[in-house]
Amino acid sequence: MAIIKQLIMSSGPILAYMGAMPGLRLVPFLQRSAPPLLDGPLQTTVDFPAVQPPAEPYAWPRSHILSGNPVQTATYIYTSPDNLFAAGIWTCEVGKFRIDFGRAEFIQILEGVVIVTDAEGTAKTYRAGDAFVTPKGFSGTWDVIEPIKKHFTWYGSGE
């Protein structure tokens, strides 16, 4: 029994030493090649611009505005071919409005302050640098305290 215990206790350092030996990496069955690149059309990354391109302002329906004048802009930087995924830049002026999310959205606040309150009354304050996800089906209010600028990505059909 003592021999088995000694083998178990010493196997860790021995295996660590063997893994650190460069010679073992030369053994063909221990080498792994990188997977091949995918076949198909060439795809490139899509960068967010340093300065938001001009965008047409729009307003919430009056029935959704609770206070202020939360005029907004939205610039889509990328939209998938199936229209199920999009990413962009959104801005909003000071004001409070009711909102219902028809799709899941990731949000990163770049500028400003907003208080997001869900249908049960739970309020969270988000500032520049904060990031969060609003799940599909969220219903509540956004109270923009300081003008907001955010990066967003959303997924879903928006039904």
Side-chain angles (χ1 to χ4, degrees), residues 56-107:
E56 287 294 318
Y58 63 95
W60 283 100
R62 280 306 295 156
S63 61
H64 286 61
I65 297 174
L66 302 173
S67 67
N69 187 22
V71 174
Q72 306 162 54
T73 65
T75 304
Y76 285 86
I77 306 302
Y78 174 80
T79 303
S80 65
D82 61 5
N83 289 319
L84 290 177
F85 177 80
I89 304 168
W90 179 83
T91 66
C92 186
E93 294 299 319
V94 174
K96 184 175 183 179
F97 53 92
R98 173 149 184 242
I99 189 165
D100 301 300
F101 280 78
R103 57 186 125 221
E105 182 175 334
F106 169 80
I107 296 164

Short mmCIF file of all heavy atoms in Angstrom, two decimals, residues 56-107:
data_model
loop_
_atom_site.label_atom_id
_atom_site.label_comp_id
_atom_site.label_asym_id
_atom_site.label_seq_id
_atom_site.Cartn_x
_atom_site.Cartn_y
_atom_site.Cartn_z
N GLU A 56 -30.48 60.25 -38.33
CA GLU A 56 -31.73 61.01 -38.23
C GLU A 56 -32.35 60.83 -36.84
O GLU A 56 -32.54 59.70 -36.39
CB GLU A 56 -32.72 60.53 -39.28
CG GLU A 56 -32.39 60.96 -40.68
CD GLU A 56 -32.48 62.48 -40.86
OE1 GLU A 56 -33.44 63.09 -40.34
OE2 GLU A 56 -31.56 63.04 -41.50
N PRO A 57 -32.68 61.92 -36.14
CA PRO A 57 -33.34 61.79 -34.85
C PRO A 57 -34.79 61.32 -35.02
O PRO A 57 -35.41 61.56 -36.05
CB PRO A 57 -33.30 63.19 -34.27
CG PRO A 57 -32.87 64.10 -35.36
CD PRO A 57 -32.35 63.28 -36.49
N TYR A 58 -35.26 60.60 -34.03
CA TYR A 58 -36.66 60.17 -34.01
C TYR A 58 -37.15 60.20 -32.57
O TYR A 58 -36.35 60.25 -31.64
CB TYR A 58 -36.83 58.77 -34.63
CG TYR A 58 -36.11 57.67 -33.88
CD1 TYR A 58 -36.78 56.90 -32.93
CD2 TYR A 58 -34.78 57.37 -34.13
CE1 TYR A 58 -36.14 55.88 -32.24
CE2 TYR A 58 -34.12 56.35 -33.46
CZ TYR A 58 -34.80 55.61 -32.51
OH TYR A 58 -34.16 54.62 -31.83
N ALA A 59 -38.45 60.18 -32.41
CA ALA A 59 -39.03 60.28 -31.06
C ALA A 59 -39.90 59.06 -30.78
O ALA A 59 -40.44 58.43 -31.69
CB ALA A 59 -39.86 61.54 -30.94
N TRP A 60 -40.03 58.75 -29.50
CA TRP A 60 -40.95 57.71 -29.05
C TRP A 60 -42.37 58.15 -29.34
O TRP A 60 -42.65 59.36 -29.37
CB TRP A 60 -40.80 57.49 -27.53
CG TRP A 60 -39.60 56.71 -27.16
CD1 TRP A 60 -38.42 57.20 -26.69
CD2 TRP A 60 -39.45 55.30 -27.24
NE1 TRP A 60 -37.55 56.18 -26.48
CE2 TRP A 60 -38.15 54.99 -26.81
CE3 TRP A 60 -40.27 54.26 -27.64
CZ2 TRP A 60 -37.66 53.70 -26.75
CZ3 TRP A 60 -39.78 52.97 -27.59
CH2 TRP A 60 -38.50 52.69 -27.15
N PRO A 61 -43.29 57.23 -29.47
CA PRO A 61 -44.70 57.64 -29.55
C PRO A 61 -45.08 58.39 -28.27
O PRO A 61 -44.61 58.04 -27.18
CB PRO A 61 -45.46 56.31 -29.64
CG PRO A 61 -44.45 55.30 -30.06
CD PRO A 61 -43.12 55.79 -29.58
N ARG A 62 -45.87 59.44 -28.39
CA ARG A 62 -46.27 60.25 -27.22
C ARG A 62 -46.82 59.38 -26.10
O ARG A 62 -46.64 59.68 -24.93
CB ARG A 62 -47.32 61.29 -27.60
CG ARG A 62 -46.86 62.53 -28.27
CD ARG A 62 -45.80 63.38 -27.64
NE ARG A 62 -46.02 64.06 -26.38
CZ ARG A 62 -45.02 64.40 -25.58
NH1 ARG A 62 -43.78 64.13 -25.89
NH2 ARG A 62 -45.24 65.02 -24.46
N SER A 63 -47.52 58.30 -26.44
CA SER A 63 -48.12 57.43 -25.42
C SER A 63 -47.07 56.76 -24.53
O SER A 63 -47.38 56.33 -23.43
CB SER A 63 -48.99 56.36 -26.08
OG SER A 63 -48.19 55.55 -26.94
N HIS A 64 -45.81 56.67 -25.01
CA HIS A 64 -44.75 56.01 -24.25
C HIS A 64 -43.89 56.99 -23.44
O HIS A 64 -43.16 56.59 -22.56
CB HIS A 64 -43.85 55.21 -25.19
CG HIS A 64 -44.48 53.95 -25.69
ND1 HIS A 64 -45.63 53.92 -26.45
CD2 HIS A 64 -44.11 52.67 -25.54
CE1 HIS A 64 -45.93 52.68 -26.75
NE2 HIS A 64 -45.02 51.89 -26.20
N ILE A 65 -43.96 58.29 -23.77
CA ILE A 65 -43.14 59.28 -23.09
C ILE A 65 -43.81 59.68 -21.78
O ILE A 65 -44.97 60.09 -21.76
CB ILE A 65 -42.91 60.52 -23.98
CG1 ILE A 65 -42.14 60.12 -25.24
CG2 ILE A 65 -42.15 61.60 -23.21
CD1 ILE A 65 -41.98 61.23 -26.25
N LEU A 66 -43.05 59.55 -20.69
CA LEU A 66 -43.56 59.89 -19.36
C LEU A 66 -43.11 61.27 -18.91
O LEU A 66 -43.80 61.92 -18.12
CB LEU A 66 -43.13 58.82 -18.36
CG LEU A 66 -43.58 57.39 -18.71
CD1 LEU A 66 -42.98 56.39 -17.75
CD2 LEU A 66 -45.10 57.30 -18.71
N SER A 67 -41.94 61.71 -19.40
CA SER A 67 -41.46 63.06 -19.09
C SER A 67 -40.32 63.42 -20.04
O SER A 67 -39.69 62.54 -20.63
CB SER A 67 -41.00 63.17 -17.63
OG SER A 67 -39.85 62.39 -17.41
N GLY A 68 -40.07 64.72 -20.15
CA GLY A 68 -38.96 65.19 -20.98
C GLY A 68 -39.22 65.02 -22.48
O GLY A 68 -40.36 64.86 -22.92
N ASN A 69 -38.13 65.06 -23.24
CA ASN A 69 -38.20 64.91 -24.69
C ASN A 69 -37.08 63.96 -25.14
O ASN A 69 -36.06 64.40 -25.66
CB ASN A 69 -38.05 66.29 -25.36
CG ASN A 69 -38.27 66.23 -26.84
OD1 ASN A 69 -38.91 65.31 -27.35
ND2 ASN A 69 -37.74 67.20 -27.55
N PRO A 70 -37.28 62.66 -24.90
CA PRO A 70 -36.21 61.70 -25.18
C PRO A 70 -36.03 61.39 -26.68
O PRO A 70 -36.29 60.29 -27.15
CB PRO A 70 -36.65 60.46 -24.40
CG PRO A 70 -38.14 60.55 -24.38
CD PRO A 70 -38.46 62.03 -24.32
N VAL A 71 -35.57 62.40 -27.42
CA VAL A 71 -35.29 62.22 -28.84
C VAL A 71 -34.08 61.29 -28.97
O VAL A 71 -33.12 61.39 -28.20
CB VAL A 71 -35.02 63.58 -29.52
CG1 VAL A 71 -34.58 63.40 -30.95
CG2 VAL A 71 -36.26 64.45 -29.42
N GLN A 72 -34.12 60.41 -29.96
CA GLN A 72 -33.10 59.38 -30.10
C GLN A 72 -32.50 59.36 -31.50
O GLN A 72 -33.08 59.91 -32.43
CB GLN A 72 -33.72 58.00 -29.86
CG GLN A 72 -34.43 57.89 -28.55
CD GLN A 72 -35.37 56.72 -28.54
OE1 GLN A 72 -34.97 55.61 -28.81
NE2 GLN A 72 -36.62 56.98 -28.25
N THR A 73 -31.34 58.68 -31.61
CA THR A 73 -30.78 58.33 -32.91
C THR A 73 -30.31 56.89 -32.82
O THR A 73 -29.97 56.40 -31.74
CB THR A 73 -29.58 59.21 -33.32
OG1 THR A 73 -28.50 58.97 -32.42
CG2 THR A 73 -29.94 60.68 -33.35
N ALA A 74 -30.30 56.22 -33.94
CA ALA A 74 -29.77 54.85 -34.01
C ALA A 74 -28.97 54.72 -35.30
O ALA A 74 -29.46 55.06 -36.38
CB ALA A 74 -30.89 53.82 -33.97
N THR A 75 -27.75 54.25 -35.17
CA THR A 75 -26.88 54.00 -36.32
C THR A 75 -26.54 52.52 -36.30
O THR A 75 -25.91 52.04 -35.36
CB THR A 75 -25.58 54.83 -36.24
OG1 THR A 75 -25.92 56.20 -36.12
CG2 THR A 75 -24.72 54.60 -37.46
N TYR A 76 -26.98 51.79 -37.31
CA TYR A 76 -26.66 50.37 -37.40
C TYR A 76 -25.31 50.22 -38.08
O TYR A 76 -25.12 50.66 -39.21
CB TYR A 76 -27.75 49.61 -38.16
CG TYR A 76 -28.98 49.43 -37.31
CD1 TYR A 76 -29.96 50.41 -37.24
CD2 TYR A 76 -29.14 48.28 -36.54
CE1 TYR A 76 -31.08 50.26 -36.45
CE2 TYR A 76 -30.26 48.12 -35.73
CZ TYR A 76 -31.22 49.11 -35.69
OH TYR A 76 -32.32 48.96 -34.88
N ILE A 77 -24.38 49.61 -37.37
CA ILE A 77 -23.03 49.37 -37.90
C ILE A 77 -22.99 48.03 -38.62
O ILE A 77 -22.29 47.87 -39.61
CB ILE A 77 -22.00 49.40 -36.75
CG1 ILE A 77 -22.10 50.70 -35.94
CG2 ILE A 77 -20.59 49.18 -37.28
CD1 ILE A 77 -21.91 51.97 -36.73
N TYR A 78 -23.75 47.07 -38.12
CA TYR A 78 -23.79 45.74 -38.74
C TYR A 78 -25.18 45.14 -38.55
O TYR A 78 -25.77 45.26 -37.48
CB TYR A 78 -22.76 44.81 -38.09
CG TYR A 78 -22.86 43.39 -38.59
CD1 TYR A 78 -22.30 43.03 -39.80
CD2 TYR A 78 -23.56 42.43 -37.87
CE1 TYR A 78 -22.42 41.73 -40.28
CE2 TYR A 78 -23.67 41.13 -38.35
CZ TYR A 78 -23.11 40.79 -39.55
OH TYR A 78 -23.23 39.51 -40.04
N THR A 79 -25.68 44.51 -39.59
CA THR A 79 -26.90 43.72 -39.52
C THR A 79 -26.63 42.42 -40.26
O THR A 79 -26.11 42.44 -41.39
CB THR A 79 -28.09 44.46 -40.18
OG1 THR A 79 -28.25 45.72 -39.52
CG2 THR A 79 -29.37 43.67 -40.05
N SER A 80 -26.96 41.30 -39.64
CA SER A 80 -26.71 40.00 -40.26
C SER A 80 -27.63 39.81 -41.48
O SER A 80 -28.70 40.42 -41.55
CB SER A 80 -26.93 38.86 -39.26
OG SER A 80 -28.28 38.80 -38.87
N PRO A 81 -27.21 38.96 -42.42
CA PRO A 81 -28.03 38.74 -43.61
C PRO A 81 -29.45 38.26 -43.31
O PRO A 81 -30.38 38.59 -44.04
CB PRO A 81 -27.24 37.68 -44.39
CG PRO A 81 -25.84 37.85 -43.93
CD PRO A 81 -25.93 38.26 -42.49
N ASP A 82 -29.63 37.53 -42.21
CA ASP A 82 -30.97 37.03 -41.86
C ASP A 82 -31.75 38.02 -40.99
O ASP A 82 -32.86 37.74 -40.56
CB ASP A 82 -30.89 35.67 -41.19
CG ASP A 82 -30.11 35.69 -39.88
OD1 ASP A 82 -29.68 36.79 -39.42
OD2 ASP A 82 -29.89 34.61 -39.31
N ASN A 83 -31.17 39.18 -40.71
CA ASN A 83 -31.79 40.24 -39.89
C ASN A 83 -32.11 39.80 -38.47
O ASN A 83 -32.94 40.42 -37.80
CB ASN A 83 -33.06 40.79 -40.55
CG ASN A 83 -32.73 41.62 -41.77
OD1 ASN A 83 -31.78 42.39 -41.76
ND2 ASN A 83 -33.50 41.44 -42.82
N LEU A 84 -31.45 38.77 -37.97
CA LEU A 84 -31.68 38.32 -36.59
C LEU A 84 -30.66 38.88 -35.60
O LEU A 84 -30.82 38.75 -34.39
CB LEU A 84 -31.68 36.80 -36.51
CG LEU A 84 -32.87 36.11 -37.16
CD1 LEU A 84 -32.71 34.59 -37.09
CD2 LEU A 84 -34.17 36.54 -36.49
N PHE A 85 -29.59 39.50 -36.12
CA PHE A 85 -28.55 40.05 -35.25
C PHE A 85 -28.14 41.41 -35.79
O PHE A 85 -28.01 41.59 -37.00
CB PHE A 85 -27.33 39.13 -35.22
CG PHE A 85 -26.19 39.68 -34.40
CD1 PHE A 85 -26.20 39.56 -33.03
CD2 PHE A 85 -25.14 40.33 -35.01
CE1 PHE A 85 -25.16 40.08 -32.27
CE2 PHE A 85 -24.09 40.86 -34.26
CZ PHE A 85 -24.11 40.73 -32.88
N ALA A 86 -27.99 42.37 -34.89
CA ALA A 86 -27.54 43.70 -35.31
C ALA A 86 -26.70 44.32 -34.20
O ALA A 86 -26.80 43.94 -33.03
CB ALA A 86 -28.73 44.59 -35.62
N ALA A 87 -25.86 45.27 -34.60
CA ALA A 87 -25.02 46.00 -33.67
C ALA A 87 -24.96 47.45 -34.12
O ALA A 87 -24.98 47.73 -35.33
CB ALA A 87 -23.63 45.40 -33.62
N GLY A 88 -24.90 48.35 -33.16
CA GLY A 88 -24.84 49.75 -33.55
C GLY A 88 -24.62 50.69 -32.39
O GLY A 88 -24.23 50.28 -31.29
N ILE A 89 -24.89 51.96 -32.66
CA ILE A 89 -24.73 53.04 -31.70
C ILE A 89 -26.09 53.72 -31.55
O ILE A 89 -26.76 54.02 -32.54
CB ILE A 89 -23.69 54.06 -32.18
CG1 ILE A 89 -22.34 53.37 -32.46
CG2 ILE A 89 -23.51 55.18 -31.16
CD1 ILE A 89 -21.36 54.24 -33.22
N TRP A 90 -26.51 53.96 -30.31
CA TRP A 90 -27.80 54.58 -30.03
C TRP A 90 -27.57 55.74 -29.08
O TRP A 90 -26.75 55.65 -28.16
CB TRP A 90 -28.71 53.53 -29.41
CG TRP A 90 -30.09 53.98 -29.04
CD1 TRP A 90 -31.18 54.06 -29.86
CD2 TRP A 90 -30.56 54.35 -27.74
NE1 TRP A 90 -32.29 54.46 -29.15
CE2 TRP A 90 -31.93 54.64 -27.85
CE3 TRP A 90 -29.95 54.48 -26.50
CZ2 TRP A 90 -32.70 55.06 -26.76
CZ3 TRP A 90 -30.71 54.89 -25.41
CH2 TRP A 90 -32.07 55.17 -25.55
N THR A 91 -28.30 56.83 -29.30
CA THR A 91 -28.24 57.97 -28.39
C THR A 91 -29.66 58.34 -27.97
O THR A 91 -30.63 58.05 -28.68
CB THR A 91 -27.58 59.21 -29.04
OG1 THR A 91 -28.41 59.67 -30.10
CG2 THR A 91 -26.19 58.89 -29.55
N CYS A 92 -29.76 59.01 -26.83
CA CYS A 92 -31.06 59.47 -26.36
C CYS A 92 -30.86 60.68 -25.46
O CYS A 92 -29.97 60.71 -24.61
CB CYS A 92 -31.77 58.36 -25.58
SG CYS A 92 -33.46 58.78 -25.09
N GLU A 93 -31.73 61.67 -25.66
CA GLU A 93 -31.71 62.88 -24.83
C GLU A 93 -32.46 62.62 -23.52
O GLU A 93 -33.11 61.60 -23.35
CB GLU A 93 -32.34 64.04 -25.60
CG GLU A 93 -31.56 64.47 -26.82
CD GLU A 93 -30.15 64.94 -26.49
OE1 GLU A 93 -29.98 65.65 -25.48
OE2 GLU A 93 -29.22 64.59 -27.24
N VAL A 94 -32.37 63.57 -22.61
CA VAL A 94 -32.99 63.45 -21.29
C VAL A 94 -34.50 63.28 -21.40
O VAL A 94 -35.16 63.96 -22.19
CB VAL A 94 -32.64 64.69 -20.43
CG1 VAL A 94 -33.39 64.68 -19.11
CG2 VAL A 94 -31.14 64.78 -20.20
N GLY A 95 -35.01 62.33 -20.63
CA GLY A 95 -36.44 62.07 -20.59
C GLY A 95 -36.70 60.67 -20.07
O GLY A 95 -35.79 59.86 -19.93
N LYS A 96 -37.96 60.41 -19.77
CA LYS A 96 -38.36 59.11 -19.24
C LYS A 96 -39.42 58.53 -20.18
O LYS A 96 -40.34 59.22 -20.59
CB LYS A 96 -38.92 59.24 -17.82
CG LYS A 96 -39.26 57.93 -17.16
CD LYS A 96 -39.69 58.16 -15.71
CE LYS A 96 -39.98 56.86 -15.00
NZ LYS A 96 -40.37 57.08 -13.60
N PHE A 97 -39.27 57.24 -20.48
CA PHE A 97 -40.21 56.59 -21.41
C PHE A 97 -40.40 55.13 -21.04
O PHE A 97 -39.55 54.52 -20.41
CB PHE A 97 -39.74 56.74 -22.85
CG PHE A 97 -38.33 56.27 -23.10
CD1 PHE A 97 -38.07 54.97 -23.50
CD2 PHE A 97 -37.26 57.13 -22.94
CE1 PHE A 97 -36.78 54.54 -23.72
CE2 PHE A 97 -35.96 56.71 -23.17
CZ PHE A 97 -35.72 55.41 -23.56
N ARG A 98 -41.53 54.61 -21.46
CA ARG A 98 -41.84 53.20 -21.27
C ARG A 98 -41.24 52.43 -22.44
O ARG A 98 -41.26 52.91 -23.57
CB ARG A 98 -43.35 52.99 -21.25
CG ARG A 98 -43.68 51.52 -21.22
CD ARG A 98 -44.92 51.19 -20.51
NE ARG A 98 -44.97 49.72 -20.54
CZ ARG A 98 -45.90 49.04 -21.12
NH1 ARG A 98 -46.93 49.64 -21.67
NH2 ARG A 98 -45.86 47.73 -21.10
N ILE A 99 -40.71 51.23 -22.15
CA ILE A 99 -40.08 50.44 -23.20
C ILE A 99 -40.38 48.96 -23.00
O ILE A 99 -40.45 48.48 -21.86
CB ILE A 99 -38.56 50.70 -23.25
CG1 ILE A 99 -37.94 50.05 -24.48
CG2 ILE A 99 -37.87 50.25 -21.98
CD1 ILE A 99 -36.54 50.55 -24.79
N ASP A 100 -40.60 48.27 -24.09
CA ASP A 100 -40.82 46.83 -24.10
C ASP A 100 -39.83 46.23 -25.10
O ASP A 100 -39.85 46.61 -26.28
CB ASP A 100 -42.26 46.50 -24.52
CG ASP A 100 -43.28 47.13 -23.59
OD1 ASP A 100 -43.24 46.81 -22.39
OD2 ASP A 100 -44.09 47.94 -24.06
N PHE A 101 -38.96 45.34 -24.62
CA PHE A 101 -37.95 44.75 -25.49
C PHE A 101 -38.50 43.50 -26.16
O PHE A 101 -38.84 42.53 -25.49
CB PHE A 101 -36.69 44.42 -24.69
CG PHE A 101 -35.80 45.60 -24.46
CD1 PHE A 101 -36.10 46.54 -23.48
CD2 PHE A 101 -34.66 45.79 -25.22
CE1 PHE A 101 -35.29 47.64 -23.26
CE2 PHE A 101 -33.84 46.89 -25.02
CZ PHE A 101 -34.15 47.82 -24.03
N GLY A 102 -38.56 43.53 -27.47
CA GLY A 102 -39.04 42.39 -28.26
C GLY A 102 -37.94 41.42 -28.64
O GLY A 102 -38.19 40.42 -29.31
N ARG A 103 -36.72 41.73 -28.25
CA ARG A 103 -35.58 40.83 -28.51
C ARG A 103 -34.52 41.07 -27.43
O ARG A 103 -34.53 42.11 -26.77
CB ARG A 103 -35.02 41.05 -29.90
CG ARG A 103 -34.59 42.45 -30.18
CD ARG A 103 -34.19 42.62 -31.64
NE ARG A 103 -34.98 43.70 -32.19
CZ ARG A 103 -35.52 43.70 -33.39
NH1 ARG A 103 -35.38 42.70 -34.17
NH2 ARG A 103 -36.21 44.72 -33.82
N ALA A 104 -33.62 40.12 -27.26
CA ALA A 104 -32.55 40.26 -26.28
C ALA A 104 -31.55 41.30 -26.78
O ALA A 104 -31.25 41.34 -27.97
CB ALA A 104 -31.87 38.91 -26.05
N GLU A 105 -31.04 42.12 -25.86
CA GLU A 105 -30.10 43.17 -26.25
C GLU A 105 -28.98 43.29 -25.23
O GLU A 105 -29.21 43.34 -24.03
CB GLU A 105 -30.83 44.51 -26.38
CG GLU A 105 -29.93 45.64 -26.83
CD GLU A 105 -30.69 46.94 -27.08
OE1 GLU A 105 -31.90 46.90 -27.38
OE2 GLU A 105 -30.06 48.00 -26.98
N PHE A 106 -27.74 43.34 -25.74
CA PHE A 106 -26.57 43.66 -24.92
C PHE A 106 -26.32 45.15 -25.07
O PHE A 106 -26.35 45.69 -26.18
CB PHE A 106 -25.33 42.88 -25.38
CG PHE A 106 -24.06 43.37 -24.74
CD1 PHE A 106 -23.73 42.99 -23.47
CD2 PHE A 106 -23.23 44.26 -25.41
CE1 PHE A 106 -22.57 43.46 -22.86
CE2 PHE A 106 -22.07 44.74 -24.82
CZ PHE A 106 -21.74 44.34 -23.54
N ILE A 107 -26.06 45.82 -23.95
CA ILE A 107 -25.90 47.27 -23.94
C ILE A 107 -24.63 47.62 -23.18
O ILE A 107 -24.38 47.10 -22.08
CB ILE A 107 -27.11 47.93 -23.24
CG1 ILE A 107 -28.38 47.66 -24.04
CG2 ILE A 107 -26.88 49.42 -23.01
CD1 ILE A 107 -29.66 47.91 -23.28
#
